[in-house]
Amino acid sequence: MSKNKEDLQALMDQIPDNLFVKCPICKENFYNKKLGIYKVCPNCGFGFRLGADERIKLTCDKFKPIDEDVVAPERFLNDKKYAGKLEKSKKVTNLNESVQTGIAKIGDQEFGLGVMDWRFIMGSLGTATGEKLARLFEKCTKKGLPVVVFSCSGGARMQEGIHSLMQMAKVSQAVSDHAAKGLLYISVLTDPTTGGVTASYAMEGDINLSEPHTLIGFAGRRVIEKTIQQRPPKDFQRAETLLKNGFLDAIIKRSDMKSVLAKLLAWN
Amino acid sequence: MTKAYDRVLAARSADKISIQNLVAGITEDFMELHGDHAYGDDPAVYAGIGTIGGEPVTITSIQKGNNTDENIKRHFGSAEPDGYRKALRLMKQAEKFNRPIINLINTPGAYPGVDAEYKGQGYMIAQSIIQGLKLSVPYISVIVGEGGSGGALALAVGDTVWAFENSVYSILSPEGYATILWKDSSKAADAAEQMQLTPKDLLSNEIIDKIVPEVNDSESMQNFKNALIDKINELKKLPKEELLAKRHARYRKFN
Ligand SMILES: [Zn+2]
């Protein structure tokens, strides 16, 4: 290797890998600054995954968290591998669970806001996740507030077994009680929303929204491929397909989400 | 082989009583009702109206086949969205006519197919759960064999959930659990041990309320039928508000 090439290699090694990103949808490569504050592919509009903190900043003017003391029950922590995952997720996200909940404001409009964070064990629905969401709906039922939930999840949390499955029922009945008071619930399904979350509160909104090219499904692609022994089409389980098949009310560009929510909250 | 995995195998056993025979055994008369009145008629969901102790009840179930042909039609007991829509339609009809609901469950899970996804598998399970929780009539679910994940929960959000002695109820199959968490499907037996999916574990975790002795002869059938009649009578006595409040508490406590 010539001296020049070595220098170049040394220089390349200093460039962090994340300086260039590849869009998982259109496969286009571009300089990461091009993503902008909304972290959206400049080519196809796909929204890259956001942490709960980033999403909250883009979605509302004010946010006051609630129930931050709710954590995975002691009884699950004997599983050391799982306990380690929880600790790591807490550090990365600065959250105690896979969902951040609180009371938010856009302008003067107050509402309950729940935002799932994919960095917390793939946004999986654990017992404490379910507890935080149930409490959010219960609080907003009492206060007469609408609720917006941004789902982002691999589904029910395997490590908590059947207890995770029960959260689907627990949160659903809180959604139902909220609805019975004539209150609005907007569900925003973000990339990815799958499994037990799709099969419960993410598909229980008065209005179900999503973003361009978002992965939404119940069964995992690999399980389906194994069952039917063929590959489903490319647009399978993407927001555009769900819109066409009648399961979404609208697909909203990330940069428009806040103004659309403001409008819908004002109308209901 | 571990004890928990023995239970998994027993739950899947071909000797397990079929749902049709079970329905025929607990009812004096039964008429199957087909279709979701929207799109299709999923053969994995067997449902209709019958009488138990002279009283009409609505029964919905998820059933495996008794032979290969039936199993192919029923996707080995895995329902599609049409099936959940049929079950929900009939449960809501039961509410309208103030009939108790009995759901019999033997499913490895909702069907993971392309069409099932296109037709809203997640949406229909969600709706079965959220609407099922609020049905204001006695609602009893029984896990007869396999109770697989959201596909089973969709029909198990009532006042009481029972499980047959040889049954399991879990977030996914032990094979799937071992694959996802340990990248090794051959560790299914270890997974089963860890997953607390046996009736005994489920009872101690209050996921289920009762273990039903395996139904395999006329005596055990009669005992099962009597237990259902007793429970229906007990639930019927409750004013609707109290019935729903108790049900609410049953699911709220999972924290
Ligand atoms: Zn792109």
Side-chain angles (χ1 to χ4, degrees), chain B residues 25-131:
Chain B
I26 58 174
T27 56
E28 296 97 40
D29 192 10
F30 180 79
M31 180 176 172
E32 184 180 4
L33 299 175
H34 290 273
D36 62 357
H37 289 193
Y39 187 89
D41 181 36
D42 182 354
V45 170
Y46 177 66
I49 307 171
T51 57
I52 291 189
E55 295 292 321
V57 296
T58 288
I59 298 176
T60 83
S61 73
I62 309 180
Q63 57 166 3
K64 299 184 181 181
N66 296 312
N67 53 54
T68 310
D69 278 355
E70 279 183 12
N71 260 327
I72 288 167
K73 263 194 263 166
R74 292 173 191 157
H75 293 136
F76 293 84
S78 295
E80 298 199 76
D82 307 352
Y84 291 109
R85 207 180 294 108
K86 168 163 70 174
L88 184 57
R89 170 178 88 81
L90 293 171
M91 286 194 278
K92 292 186 78 93
Q93 183 189 79
E95 184 184 41
K96 177 179 176 186
F97 296 103
N98 206 20
R99 277 196 295 270
I101 296 163
I102 297 171
N103 290 345
L104 305 171
I105 298 159
N106 190 2
T107 177
Y111 185 60
V114 172
D115 258 12
E117 292 291 312
Y118 283 155
K119 291 191 279 178
Q121 189 70 286
Y123 177 82
M124 270 324 298
I125 293 173
Q127 292 304 315
S128 305
I129 293 169
I130 192 167
Q131 296 188 47

Side-chain angles (χ1 to χ4, degrees), chain A residues 73 75 79 81 85 127 131 134-135 138 156-170 172-177 195 198-201 203-205 208 216-220 223-225 227-228 231-233 235-237 241-242 245 247, chain B residues 85 109-115 117-127 129-131 133-134 147-153 156-157 169-172 176-177 179-182 194-196 202 205-207 244 247-255:
Chain A
R75 63 178 184 278
D79 178 349
K81 212 172 149 194
K85 275 198 168 178
T127 303
E131 185 63 21
R135 287 192 197 182
E138 286 162 359
R157 188 172 298 166
M158 299 302 148
Q159 292 90 343
E160 294 186 17
I162 192 96
H163 301 271
S164 294
L165 197 70
M166 294 301 127
Q167 303 312 311
M168 292 163 64
K170 188 173 87 180
S172 293
Q173 70 179 3
V175 173
S176 175
D177 293 341
T198 303
S200 61
Y201 55 88
M203 281 294 185
E204 292 169 353
N208 297 330
I216 303 168
F218 174 67
V223 177
I224 294 169
E225 282 176 5
T227 308
I228 63 169
R231 297 187 80 115
D235 62 355
F236 181 62
Q237 293 184 326
T241 303
L242 274 92
N245 289 339
F247 295 100
Chain B
R85 207 180 294 108
Y111 185 60
V114 172
D115 258 12
E117 292 291 312
Y118 283 155
K119 291 191 279 178
Q121 189 70 286
Y123 177 82
M124 270 324 298
I125 293 173
Q127 292 304 315
I129 293 169
I130 192 167
Q131 296 188 47
L133 282 161
K134 298 297 172 182
S149 193
L153 179 71
V157 291
Y169 187 16
S170 58
I171 190 167
L172 82 171
Y177 185 94
T179 304
I180 290 176
L181 287 183
W182 305 328
Q194 185 161 328
M195 289 171 78
Q196 305 194 317
L202 295 164
N205 282 320
E206 299 182 37
I207 305 293
L244 289 174
R247 192 185 297 163
H248 191 281
R250 187 186 189 282
Y251 296 93
R252 187 64 189 85
K253 72 170 191 277
F254 295 116
N255 62 16

Side-chain angles (χ1 to χ4, degrees), chain A residues 22-28 30 41-46 48 213:
Chain A
K22 185 176 184 177
C23 174
I25 301 298
C26 69
K27 314 289 181 204
E28 202 70 17
F30 44 83
C41 170
N43 186 47
C44 74
F46 174 70
F48 283 67
H213 312 304

Side-chain angles (χ1 to χ4, degrees), chain A:
Chain A
M1 213 183 269
S2 73
K3 182 84 181 95
N4 266 349
K5 266 194 176 166
E6 268 176 47
D7 287 350
L8 187 64
Q9 190 58 50
L11 211 65
M12 291 282 279
D13 288 346
Q14 283 169 27
I15 300 174
D17 287 342
N18 58 5
L19 203 55
F20 286 89
V21 289
K22 185 176 184 177
C23 174
I25 301 298
C26 69
K27 314 289 181 204
E28 202 70 17
N29 284 291
F30 44 83
Y31 182 42
N32 72 0
K33 285 266 162 56
K34 285 229 164 154
L35 289 175
I37 54 161
Y38 292 107
K39 284 202 175 176
V40 166
C41 170
N43 186 47
C44 74
F46 174 70
F48 283 67
R49 290 175 191 172
L50 300 175
D53 46 350
E54 294 173 288
R55 176 72 72 176
I56 290 165
K57 259 185 232 149
L58 295 178
T59 305
C60 57
D61 301 318
K62 278 188 190 155
F63 181 76
K64 201 171 161 251
I66 56 172
D67 298 316
E68 287 190 293
D69 55 333
V70 177
V71 293
E74 203 68 41
R75 63 178 184 278
F76 298 121
L77 304 183
N78 294 332
D79 178 349
K80 290 293 166 234
K81 212 172 149 194
Y82 176 45
K85 275 198 168 178
L86 283 170
E87 280 318 305
K88 214 175 125 198
S89 301
K90 284 178 189 177
K91 275 202 192 107
V92 172
T93 59
N94 228 351
L95 297 172
N96 277 334
E97 249 308 334
S98 60
V99 68
Q100 173 69 301
T101 56
I103 304 299
K105 265 187 173 181
I106 300 177
D108 288 336
Q109 174 70 57
E110 206 177 12
F111 61 101
L113 177 62
V115 180
M116 302 189 77
D117 196 315
W118 63 279
R119 298 169 301 172
F120 203 110
I121 316 184
M122 242 349 276
S124 53
L125 170 63
T127 303
T129 318
E131 185 63 21
K132 288 186 80 170
L133 284 164
R135 287 192 197 182
L136 176 69
F137 278 96
E138 286 162 359
K139 192 180 187 82
C140 291
T141 304
K142 252 186 225 150
K143 293 173 79 112
L145 292 177
V147 173
V148 177
V149 173
F150 283 82
S151 289
C152 178
S153 178
R157 188 172 298 166
M158 299 302 148
Q159 292 90 343
E160 294 186 17
I162 192 96
H163 301 271
S164 294
L165 197 70
M166 294 301 127
Q167 303 312 311
M168 292 163 64
K170 188 173 87 180
V171 177
S172 293
Q173 70 179 3
V175 173
S176 175
D177 293 341
H178 182 256
K181 285 270 148 64
L183 297 166
L184 172 70
Y185 165 35
I186 300 173
S187 168
V188 188
L189 296 91
T190 71
D191 191 79
T193 297
T194 61
V197 171
T198 303
S200 61
Y201 55 88
M203 281 294 185
E204 292 169 353
D206 295 297
I207 296 174
N208 297 330
L209 303 177
S210 188
E211 298 181 322
H213 312 304
T214 295
L215 175 71
I216 303 168
F218 174 67
R221 196 185 178 94
R222 260 175 300 170
V223 177
I224 294 169
E225 282 176 5
K226 211 176 135 192
T227 308
I228 63 169
Q229 298 292 324
Q230 51 187 326
R231 297 187 80 115
K234 209 174 148 223
D235 62 355
F236 181 62
Q237 293 184 326
R238 293 285 164 188
E240 290 70 15
T241 303
L242 274 92
L243 182 77
K244 194 181 92 194
N245 289 339
F247 295 100
L248 291 174
D249 289 83
I251 297 172
I252 309 292
K253 278 198 295 191
R254 192 171 281 174
S255 53
D256 292 343
M257 189 62 81
K258 186 176 173 181
S259 60
V260 167
L261 290 177
K263 184 160 73 177
L264 290 172
L265 288 165
W267 282 345
N268 286 281

